[in-house]
């Protein structure tokens, strides 16, 4: 996620990628439970987050990564398509 960094005392002067990242992660966590057939086994896990390097600055970038596990290649493709449209 890319935003506009700013000092934490003036968040109105920036665009917070951490807030956007939090929203995206929440949406992704619901893909398995709300968008897939419950009889299709799959797991989506967000496992790594990174943003900024100090406590008093809203960073300009935030990053996350994770993994998707399923035994069915069609389900894997369906999750990929849902991810791209999320």
């Amino acid at each position: 996620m890319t935003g506009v960094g700013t000092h934490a005392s003036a968040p109105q002067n920036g665009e917070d990628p951490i807030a956007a990242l939090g929203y995206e992660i929440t949406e992704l966590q619901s893909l398995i439970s709300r968008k897939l057939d419950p009889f299709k086994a799959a797991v989506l896990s967000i496992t790594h987050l990174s943003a900024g390097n100090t406590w008093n600055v809203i960073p300009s970038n935030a990053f996350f990564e994770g993994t998707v596990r399923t035994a069915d290649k069609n389900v894997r493709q369906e999750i990929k398509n849902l991810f791209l449209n999320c």
Side-chain angles (χ1 to χ4, degrees):
M1 301 282 173
T2 300
V4 176
T6 188
H7 195 273
S9 66
Q12 73 279 5
N13 294 334
E15 294 180 18
D16 190 347
I18 295 174
L21 187 67
Y23 177 79
E24 186 70 20
I25 289 170
T26 299
E27 288 295 306
L28 288 173
Q29 293 296 321
S30 70
L31 285 182
I32 303 300
S33 64
R34 297 293 182 252
K35 301 292 184 182
L36 285 184
D37 182 330
F39 294 104
K40 296 178 180 177
V43 174
L44 184 149
S45 298
I46 305 301
T47 57
H48 178 230
L49 304 170
S50 180
N53 55 15
T54 190
W55 59 273
N56 64 344
V57 174
I58 294 172
S60 59
N61 293 295
F63 170 81
F64 74 98
E65 58 189 342
T67 185
V68 171
R69 303 295 171 119
T70 180
D72 184 328
K73 67 179 181 179
N74 294 326
V75 173
R76 193 169 20 264
Q77 185 60 50
E78 186 176 354
I79 292 169
K80 183 177 180 179
N81 292 342
L82 288 167
F83 180 86
L84 293 173
N85 293 316
C86 192

